[in-house]
Amino acid sequence: MRAKHVNQLISLAAVLLFSFSCFSISRMAQTSNQLTNCRNHILEFKKNILHLKNKTEQSRQELMGALNKIKDNIRQRENVSVNFVEREVDTFDENEAMPNTFEVLKSFLPHLRKVGRIYPDVIISKEKTGVSFALGVPTVQREDHGYLKQTLTSLVSRMTHEEAQDSVVIVSVADSNEDYLKSVVDMITKKFKKQLKSGSLEVISIPQFFYPDVLHAKHSPEDSQTFESWRIKQVLDFCFLMLYAQPKAMYYLQLEDDIIAKKMYFTKITDFVHSITSDNWFYIEFSVLGFIGKLFKSEDLNDFVRFFLMFYKDKPIDLLLGDIFQVKLCHPGETPEKCAERNKQIRIRYKPSLFQHVGIQSSFPGTEQYLKDIYY
């Protein structure tokens, strides 16, 4: 009986152990399946994260590409074109009439009679016209130092917004060196974007065919002919710039590329011109030096250019400016005193001078000059 009870207990224990084993195995299998499922979820999560990362990187690259494209478009508009009008001599249509203002050149420079059209090689311009003042700044390369950026900064920074709208500054590159032309254009497009965009600053380049053959000949710096050629070319450079500026404005102010202007210079010029009651003035001097700061009525520029071209081989242009007064305005038989008195009335000098010469390195090679306006 006792043995029977023992056997029953053993059987019960075996059944319980078997049941527990089955339960444990079932739980372990369930846990394994859960672990497998979890691992699969983790792998799928990693896959989704990687896909999202790749998609984010692709989106970032697409966004950066779009931004770079926008930047390139802005850079191209501001630094390259700024809606510029670029012309060269051979880009005019065959049926397009040559600007009449340059026709006068053919009367005094016979070699130009073979040229169909006369116009600047390069124009960076909004073709601004109908303004009150055009400011002419001829420039050539100097040996060691250039003053053009300083000059332009002085001129444009000392204008009000309204004055800039009613004027145009014309830089005329009168140099055959293409590297210098490029350096001028690069400097201006980088430093004076606002003025270029508004049309208040232009750049032109005088074509080499404009100059007579004598100016293309090579001379040593010590040769006297070198200085004569430099002086002759300077007169022609001024004439070309005057003719280009003439149709643009009511008044033309002649400057140089190595000067600075006084504060409010433009306001003072405008107020002074408007204060003159008589229209019978010849020109106004806003500097006593050379050809700097001379203001002309644009309607008179053709007469001045004709006279300069008649004697461009004989004298510097500032001396010719005095001669034209004697020829045109001193009457035959008139006493020198009467002529001198009229001179004061129609050749008007403004004091103090509004422009100062700052260049030391002359545009004539190997020469330094220390000219200063004592009335500045």
Side-chain angles (χ1 to χ4, degrees):
M1 190 70 178
R2 190 178 213 178
K4 184 179 180 180
H5 283 278
V6 170
N7 290 333
Q8 288 177 346
L9 289 173
I10 291 173
S11 297
L12 180 60
V15 170
L16 291 174
L17 181 61
F18 178 76
S19 298
F20 179 76
S21 298
C22 290
F23 175 78
S24 297
I25 291 172
S26 174
R27 293 293 295 176
M28 289 178 65
Q30 185 179 1
T31 302
S32 177
N33 291 335
Q34 289 177 345
L35 289 174
T36 301
N37 290 336
C38 182
R39 184 178 60 183
N40 291 338
H41 283 305
I42 291 173
L43 291 175
E44 184 177 359
F45 179 75
K46 286 184 177 180
K47 182 179 179 180
N48 291 336
I49 289 294
L50 182 61
H51 176 72
L52 181 62
K53 181 180 178 181
N54 292 336
K55 189 173 182 180
T56 301
E57 178 64 21
Q58 181 181 357
S59 299
R60 188 187 70 84
Q61 291 179 357
E62 291 176 353
L63 179 60
M64 291 300 298
L67 289 175
N68 289 334
K69 188 174 181 180
I70 292 172
K71 288 180 180 179
D72 289 340
N73 289 337
I74 293 174
R75 190 179 299 113
Q76 289 175 4
R77 286 198 301 268
E78 291 184 346
N79 293 349
V80 180
S81 64
V82 194
N83 294 325
F84 291 157
V85 177
E86 297 189 6
R87 293 188 179 181
E88 295 188 5
V89 172
D90 58 359
T91 62
F92 283 93
D93 184 80
E94 288 297 325
N95 297 322
E96 184 179 357
M98 183 179 62
N100 291 331
T101 185
F102 290 100
E103 280 289 344
V104 65
L105 296 172
K106 295 186 175 183
S107 299
F108 301 94
L109 302 172
H111 69 285
L112 293 180
R113 295 168 191 170
K114 302 176 183 178
V115 178
R117 300 176 181 89
I118 304 172
Y119 210 75
D121 276 338
V122 178
I123 303 176
I124 301 179
S125 168
K126 285 290 190 68
E127 298 185 317
K128 192 174 184 179
T129 58
V131 296
S132 294
F133 293 90
L135 288 66
V137 183
T139 185
V140 295
Q141 185 177 25
R142 299 169 193 260
E143 286 184 335
D144 301 320
H145 187 73
Y147 307 93
L148 180 61
K149 182 167 70 172
Q150 178 185 8
T151 296
L152 293 179
T153 300
S154 174
L155 292 175
V156 303
S157 67
R158 291 172 177 175
M159 289 184 187
T160 66
H161 175 70
E162 292 74 17
E163 290 168 346
Q165 286 184 318
D166 196 30
S167 64
V168 56
V169 178
I170 305 166
V171 177
S172 175
V173 182
D175 200 298
S176 61
N177 188 321
E178 292 185 1
D179 290 336
Y180 180 66
L181 172 61
K182 184 178 183 302
S183 70
V184 169
V185 173
D186 288 346
M187 181 273 290
I188 289 177
T189 54
K190 290 177 182 177
K191 300 295 183 181
F192 301 97
K193 297 177 184 177
K194 179 181 177 182
Q195 290 75 24
L196 290 174
K197 190 173 183 180
S198 68
S200 61
L201 179 60
E202 300 185 2
V203 182
I204 69 171
S205 175
I206 300 179
Q208 288 303 298
F209 70 78
F210 166 65
Y211 302 105
D213 290 340
V214 65
L215 299 186
H216 294 289
K218 299 294 184 181
H219 303 283
S220 64
E222 296 78 15
D223 191 344
S224 61
Q225 185 60 42
T226 301
F227 179 78
E228 289 300 310
S229 297
W230 172 81
R231 180 181 57 75
I232 290 171
K233 179 179 176 296
Q234 189 179 60
V235 177
L236 296 177
D237 291 343
F238 281 100
C239 289
F240 193 96
L241 180 52
M242 285 179 164
L243 290 175
Y244 177 78
Q246 190 270 334
K248 290 180 170 291
M250 185 179 300
Y251 303 102
Y252 174 74
L253 180 65
Q254 182 65 64
L255 299 169
E256 294 188 9
D257 65 346
D258 58 349
I259 59 98
I260 57 172
K262 274 192 173 180
K263 292 181 179 180
M264 296 183 65
Y265 79 96
F266 202 96
T267 303
K268 293 175 181 178
I269 290 175
T270 303
D271 291 346
F272 186 72
V273 171
H274 291 163
S275 70
I276 300 175
T277 56
S278 172
D279 194 45
N280 193 32
W281 52 272
F282 197 48
Y283 65 87
I284 303 174
E285 290 185 298
F286 292 98
S287 172
V288 298
L289 291 180
F291 214 54
I292 298 171
K294 305 302 186 284
L295 183 76
F296 305 90
K297 288 175 283 191
S298 292
E299 64 186 25
D300 295 336
L301 285 178
N302 279 340
D303 290 339
F304 280 102
V305 168
R306 287 177 181 274
F307 187 86
F308 296 150
L309 290 175
M310 287 176 64
F311 304 102
Y312 75 93
K313 296 180 182 179
D314 301 315
K315 288 185 179 181
I317 195 166
D318 54 329
L319 297 184
L320 292 176
L321 189 59
D323 290 343
I324 190 174
F325 171 80
Q326 297 291 332
V327 172
K328 289 180 67 70
L329 300 171
C330 286
H331 305 314
E334 185 179 42
T335 64
E337 291 77 16
K338 285 186 177 181
C339 186
E341 185 62 30
R342 188 183 302 105
N343 183 3
K344 294 179 182 179
Q345 295 174 358
I346 63 177
R347 295 172 64 184
I348 304 171
R349 178 178 295 177
Y350 178 91
K351 291 184 181 180
S353 296
L354 298 181
F355 304 98
Q356 181 61 284
H357 181 263
V358 295
I360 295 176
Q361 178 66 53
S362 172
S363 58
F364 182 69
T367 304
E368 293 184 351
Q369 55 186 4
Y370 298 86
L371 298 175
K372 295 296 178 184
D373 189 329
I374 61 174
Y375 297 104
Y376 178 78

